[in-house]
Amino acid sequence: MAAVGAPGPGRGGRRGARRGAANILAQLRHGQLSGRGLTRGAQITEALLKERDKQAKWNGIPLLLQKLYENSHPNSDFSQCQSILKEISPLLSMEAMAFVTEDRKAAQESTFPNTYTFDLFGGVDLLVEILMRPTLITQKKKPKISDDLIKDCLSILYNTCICTEGVTKRLAERNDFVLFLFTLMTNKKTFLQTATLIEDILGVKKEMIQLEDIPNLASLVSSFDQQQLANFCRILAVTISELETGSDDKHTLLAKNAQQKKNLGPSRAELNQESSDESGLANTSTRTQLPQSMKIMHEIMYKLEVLYVLCVLLMGRQRNQVHKMIAEFKLIPGLNNLFDKLIWRKHSASALVLHGHNQNCDCSPDITLKIQFLRLLQSFSDHHENKYLLLNSQELNELSAISLKANIPEVDAVVNTDRSLVCDGKRGLLTRLLQVMKKEPAESSFRFWQARAVESFLRGATSYADQMFLLKRGLLEHILYCIVDSECKSRDVLQSYFDLLGELMKFNIDAFKRFNKYINTDEKFQIFLNQINSSLVDSNMLVRCITLSLDRFENQSDIKVAEVLSECRLLSYMSQMSMRMSFLFRLINIIHVQTLTQENVSCLNTSLVILMLARRKDKLPFYLHTLQEMEYMEKYPGFILNNFHSLLRFWQQHYLNKDKDSTCLENSSCISFTYWKETVSILLSPDQTSPCAIISYIDEAYMDIDRDFTEE
């Protein structure tokens, strides 16, 4: 296309200049959107650009871009390009600084900010061309671009992404450019600028790249030093994490199930967690020695990214492989050695804090590192035999002694734990965590994460030895103090305490004896009940634990058990039929199929546990009939049983094809999944003459059991 010439004589003056500038911008916008006509500033004559520049407040950027274009042709040696970029760069970096320091008014004083002008006149596309030029030329002697020129190009692109809407997304759509950027990471001089730009681009990319498409990824990663590896983990964190949908209603189990039906294969994030070259990753882990690399405080922000990536991988499809590698390269003993020095060190005056925050703020690096560390422990321990690596050899011997004294078989995972991989020193990581947990202030944001991390150690098949190990260290009394004496108000913290208490006490008569010793007055017991009843969504796992434990104790003939059964306030309370029915009624009433989430679906399973235990004693018809009577007392016949019928239909749809979920249900209840399925089928029987079918207890006038709850 021919260059756009200067305007005619009839369009002089300031108003004409402004109008002319606006016309040029309009033509550029139209050309870039349509791909026809005026698409970049190089197509406009120098004379016209000079004439319009001052009035339009372009600060000479279009002219500089024209010079850059002329000096970056395919046969150019790029010798003049850097001096041109040195003139452009301050104009853009000043604006970018204003944006990140939230002084946006200054950045928007100009009608056409510098970064916007730079992009509109083709600056972004031109820099991408310059960077990728060597890869696009087929001749043997390819042009050499200096490291400084690459750094300037990357910095200007990043500043433009910060300030100008749409630039980052446009770059993200160019897969060839995104993958090309990874090749620049091999150069230590340009690594940081490249990593920063990649992270920004991947953060807005609609369809995540596949790591296997990156050329020579294994050799690239193995070439990184510790700081580079930590920076690269920021990028990994984006590529292996599932994107959040950003709306609460999309997190319902109905929506998740519907999404899973649409996505039959693994997601890009899941594919990026699968290692095709285990040896390459293993060599990297050996060389970098992650635990040792966490010794320097000024790198604390990088360590956050390392821990985050490990958390994601531990929750992914390759969990066992990641577990094996973490164990073999002794990450857990390394973290244990750094616990006091770095992870849970005392605050100092020089502690690193973010601008505008303080040391106790949840956003401070110190706080974030602790939370990420606790999340790692939670992911590492959850339903995995490697959890015993959190102990040292003496503590493992203690577990064996507990089993021997109780005359019960030792847990296989304890016996099979490789003692060379466990924690060293006087205390293991779990014991250290318990110590800081008991010292944590009442208002601390760590209480939730600490309780979750310890609870994950107890999850799975109930282990008496594991429970006693924690009970002997005063954990039960600490939890009860927080729930009752400090009367904790935080719903999240309360839920984590109730869940932990449930795992700690389940089927353990000694725990109930200790509970009764601590909750030794009616006043304390009433406060405890008030906390439970204040939110059943938060406390239902504890209700399930008490119900299951009571059922087991009632079937035992041991004198010690009988004594605790008669004395324990909590067991006596739950043994009352009216109390169990009250819990059952409320558990069903607070959930509905359309509002089920991963957080509250446990209420449905707890209600099922109560009914399965009733079925074992041939009392299922009595429970259903009582629910019917309670409905009539509330003057709303059918509303509980219709809802329960829908919930159980969803339960079948949700659980019957999920091996992990069914295993969790079995482990948490010690009731076979077959019995779960049978009980649900009996309750959903269409036979109105069946005394165990829900339909038999809903009057015809109030029946509403065929409603379709499928999420579109």
Side-chain angles (χ1 to χ4, degrees):
M1 174 185 171
V4 176
R11 295 177 60 191
R14 294 178 64 182
R15 184 180 300 175
R18 288 196 186 110
R19 190 164 58 245
N23 287 338
I24 291 172
L25 296 178
Q27 288 181 60
L28 278 171
R29 283 195 205 98
H30 180 268
Q32 289 169 356
L33 290 171
S34 65
R36 297 190 301 274
L38 191 60
T39 58
R40 65 165 68 201
Q43 296 169 307
I44 305 171
T45 64
E46 184 178 346
L48 180 58
L49 290 177
K50 281 182 178 178
E51 181 184 340
R52 299 288 184 245
D53 187 84
K54 189 173 182 180
Q55 294 297 331
K57 296 183 179 179
W58 289 337
N59 292 320
I61 290 173
L63 285 164
L64 288 168
L65 284 175
Q66 195 170 65
K67 285 174 64 179
L68 184 64
Y69 180 77
E70 291 167 357
N71 285 275
S72 61
H73 54 80
N75 297 319
S76 167
D77 60 2
F78 300 113
S79 58
Q80 300 300 313
C81 291
Q82 194 168 354
S83 62
I84 299 169
L85 288 180
K86 291 295 183 190
E87 292 186 61
I88 295 175
S89 184
L91 297 171
L92 273 58
S93 60
M94 184 172 56
E95 253 180 28
M97 185 62 70
F99 265 67
V100 297
T101 55
E102 297 182 346
D103 187 12
R104 301 189 176 211
K105 183 180 178 183
Q108 293 171 348
E109 282 177 356
S110 164
T111 310
F112 303 110
N114 297 335
T115 48
Y116 179 77
T117 303
F118 177 80
D119 178 45
L120 193 65
F121 280 85
V124 170
D125 294 332
L126 182 54
L127 291 192
V128 170
E129 282 180 26
I130 292 173
L131 285 170
M132 295 188 69
R133 183 73 52 73
T135 67
L136 302 174
I137 293 177
T138 55
Q139 61 197 47
K140 289 184 178 179
K141 190 176 180 181
K142 297 184 178 182
K144 172 69 176 173
I145 302 181
S146 70
D147 293 340
D148 288 336
L149 179 57
I150 292 173
K151 286 168 68 173
D152 286 342
C153 287
L154 293 171
S155 296
I156 291 173
L157 284 175
Y158 179 68
N159 288 336
T160 312
C161 286
I162 290 176
C163 300
T164 306
E165 188 178 358
V167 173
T168 315
K169 288 182 179 177
R170 210 167 72 238
L171 291 176
E173 290 169 0
R174 291 198 55 173
N175 251 21
D176 59 337
F177 179 63
V178 177
L179 294 174
F180 163 76
L181 286 175
F182 280 93
T183 66
L184 297 181
M185 297 183 85
T186 56
N187 188 337
K188 284 181 168 54
K189 292 182 180 178
T190 61
F191 176 89
L192 194 57
Q193 288 83 359
T194 308
T196 306
L197 183 59
I198 291 175
E199 185 184 354
D200 208 48
I201 290 173
L202 293 184
V204 301
K205 195 162 175 59
K206 287 184 179 179
E207 188 171 284
M208 188 48 60
I209 62 164
Q210 288 190 236
L211 289 177
E212 64 181 22
D213 292 338
I214 299 172
N216 306 312
L217 178 61
S219 59
L220 173 68
V221 176
S222 64
S223 70
F224 293 154
D225 59 29
Q226 292 177 6
Q227 185 167 334
Q228 287 176 320
L229 182 67
N231 266 298
F232 187 69
C233 280
R234 295 174 68 92
I235 295 169
L236 276 183
V238 180
T239 64
I240 65 176
S241 302
E242 297 287 357
L243 294 174
E244 293 290 338
T245 52
S247 176
D248 286 343
D249 61 339
K250 296 296 182 186
H251 293 287
T252 64
L253 294 181
L254 266 182
K256 287 182 178 179
N257 287 352
Q259 191 62 38
Q260 284 172 355
K261 288 178 181 177
K262 292 178 184 176
N263 304 331
L264 298 178
S267 66
R268 285 283 176 94
E270 288 175 323
L271 289 173
N272 286 337
Q273 297 170 21
E274 294 173 18
S275 166
S276 58
D277 183 5
E278 184 175 341
S279 60
L281 287 174
N283 291 335
T284 302
S285 300
T286 305
R287 192 186 65 76
T288 56
Q289 294 182 306
L290 287 180
Q292 282 69 35
S293 74
M294 295 179 70
K295 292 179 180 177
I296 305 172
M297 178 53 207
H298 74 266
E299 290 184 353
I300 195 169
M301 294 296 285
Y302 301 132
K303 308 317 169 198
L304 292 174
E305 305 304 331
V306 175
L307 291 178
Y308 176 77
V309 168
L310 290 173
C311 283
V312 174
L313 291 174
L314 282 169
M315 294 185 287
R317 292 190 174 194
Q318 300 301 306
R319 186 184 188 212
N320 288 332
Q321 180 185 335
V322 178
H323 248 290
K324 181 183 177 185
M325 294 172 67
I326 285 178
E328 288 177 355
F329 299 112
K330 298 189 176 181
L331 176 71
I332 300 302
L335 289 173
N336 188 44
N337 293 334
L338 289 174
F339 189 84
D340 294 327
K341 299 174 188 174
L342 177 66
I343 299 169
W344 227 274
R345 78 191 200 292
K346 293 180 180 177
H347 286 307
S348 63
S350 61
L352 179 64
V353 294
L354 300 178
H355 177 70
H357 299 262
N358 59 54
Q359 291 176 354
N360 298 317
C361 173
D362 281 1
C363 301
S364 78
D366 261 338
I367 303 285
T368 313
L369 179 68
K370 289 179 171 67
I371 291 174
Q372 206 59 260
F373 164 75
L374 293 170
R375 290 185 67 186
L376 176 67
L377 291 193
Q378 179 186 355
S379 304
F380 185 80
S381 302
D382 195 13
H383 292 88
H384 203 285
E385 59 187 21
N386 271 357
K387 67 181 184 180
Y388 291 109
L389 297 180
L390 298 178
L391 310 182
N392 63 23
S393 292
Q394 292 80 8
E395 291 164 346
L396 284 172
N397 292 338
E398 185 182 337
L399 284 181
S400 302
I402 292 170
S403 298
L404 183 65
K405 184 179 179 181
N407 196 28
I408 57 175
E410 197 171 353
V411 177
D412 288 341
V414 175
V415 177
N416 297 331
T417 295
D418 185 343
R419 299 295 179 106
S420 68
L421 303 178
V422 302
C423 294
D424 48 17
K426 293 182 179 179
R427 293 180 295 274
L429 206 46
L430 180 63
T431 304
R432 287 179 183 272
L433 176 57
L434 290 174
Q435 288 180 323
V436 297
M437 184 178 181
K438 288 194 279 187
K439 295 176 184 176
E440 209 61 50
E443 69 283 359
S444 171
S445 58
F446 296 132
R447 284 177 171 245
F448 169 82
W449 295 107
Q450 289 168 337
R452 280 278 175 261
V454 178
E455 183 216 344
S456 69
F457 181 81
L458 291 170
R459 275 192 208 148
T462 303
S463 165
Y464 175 80
D466 291 357
Q467 291 172 325
M468 292 307 299
F469 179 86
L470 296 173
L471 286 169
K472 289 168 71 173
R473 283 158 175 78
L475 180 59
L476 182 136
E477 289 78 9
H478 168 70
I479 298 171
L480 292 177
Y481 170 81
C482 295
I483 294 174
V484 176
D485 296 301
S486 70
E487 294 193 54
C488 175
K489 297 293 189 293
S490 166
R491 297 256 53 97
D492 287 339
V493 173
L494 266 179
Q495 182 184 27
S496 65
Y497 281 163
F498 284 135
D499 290 351
L500 175 54
L501 193 60
E503 293 293 340
L504 188 62
M505 295 180 68
K506 193 190 302 174
F507 306 132
N508 192 313
I509 198 67
D510 297 287
F512 280 90
K513 189 173 183 179
R514 281 175 175 255
F515 176 94
N516 211 47
K517 185 177 180 180
Y518 190 92
I519 306 296
N520 54 7
T521 66
D522 290 341
E523 182 184 7
K524 276 189 171 184
F525 186 59
Q526 193 55 54
I527 294 173
F528 183 76
L529 289 181
N530 290 344
Q531 291 280 48
I532 287 181
N533 288 315
S534 64
S535 176
L536 268 184
V537 171
D538 300 323
S539 63
N540 83 88
M541 293 298 288
L542 177 60
V543 171
R544 190 190 306 183
C545 147
I546 302 166
T547 306
L548 286 163
S549 301
L550 175 65
D551 182 76
R552 177 175 291 191
F553 296 155
E554 286 178 339
N555 292 317
Q556 293 176 345
S557 54
D558 188 278
I559 297 174
K560 177 184 174 183
V561 172
E563 181 183 305
V564 176
L565 265 176
S566 63
E567 295 176 355
C568 181
R569 287 180 170 84
L570 190 56
L571 292 172
S572 299
Y573 178 83
M574 192 58 77
S575 66
Q576 300 173 53
M577 174 63 71
S578 60
M579 293 300 104
R580 291 203 295 278
M581 289 307 308
S582 173
F583 278 124
L584 179 61
F585 187 89
R586 286 182 290 152
L587 284 167
I588 298 171
N589 193 32
I590 58 179
I591 50 175
H592 305 277
V593 170
Q594 286 74 16
T595 58
L596 278 178
T597 65
Q598 204 63 49
E599 287 296 308
N600 62 24
V601 71
S602 56
C603 294
L604 174 56
N605 290 323
T606 298
S607 65
L608 263 176
V609 165
I610 294 173
L611 291 175
M612 283 190 292
L613 298 180
R615 180 187 163 211
R616 279 181 177 175
K617 298 178 179 179
D618 296 325
K619 291 184 177 179
L620 193 52
F622 175 79
Y623 276 67
L624 293 175
H625 178 67
T626 306
L627 284 176
Q628 183 187 37
E629 289 183 335
M630 294 172 81
E631 285 181 328
Y632 275 92
M633 287 174 63
E634 294 285 335
K635 296 183 170 55
Y636 200 166
F639 81 106
I640 285 291
L641 291 174
N642 277 313
N643 184 43
F644 194 41
H645 194 279
S646 294
L647 288 166
L648 293 182
R649 284 168 56 214
F650 172 81
W651 187 96
Q652 286 183 322
Q653 174 187 308
H654 182 68
Y655 280 105
L656 294 189
N657 296 314
K658 291 180 175 286
D659 293 337
K660 183 180 178 183
D661 279 343
S662 64
T663 303
C664 290
L665 291 178
E666 283 187 323
N667 287 337
S668 67
S669 63
C670 288
I671 299 173
S672 73
F673 190 59
T674 301
Y675 199 79
W676 284 79
K677 291 189 292 185
E678 288 175 356
T679 304
V680 172
S681 294
I682 289 170
L683 287 166
L684 290 180
S685 170
D687 183 2
Q688 295 191 22
T689 63
S690 169
C692 295
I694 292 174
I695 197 171
S696 303
Y697 299 87
I698 307 175
D699 291 342
E700 195 70 38
Y702 307 113
M703 196 169 292
D704 184 20
I705 62 172
D706 296 320
R707 184 182 301 169
D708 183 15
F709 51 73
T710 303
E711 180 98 353
E712 292 301 327

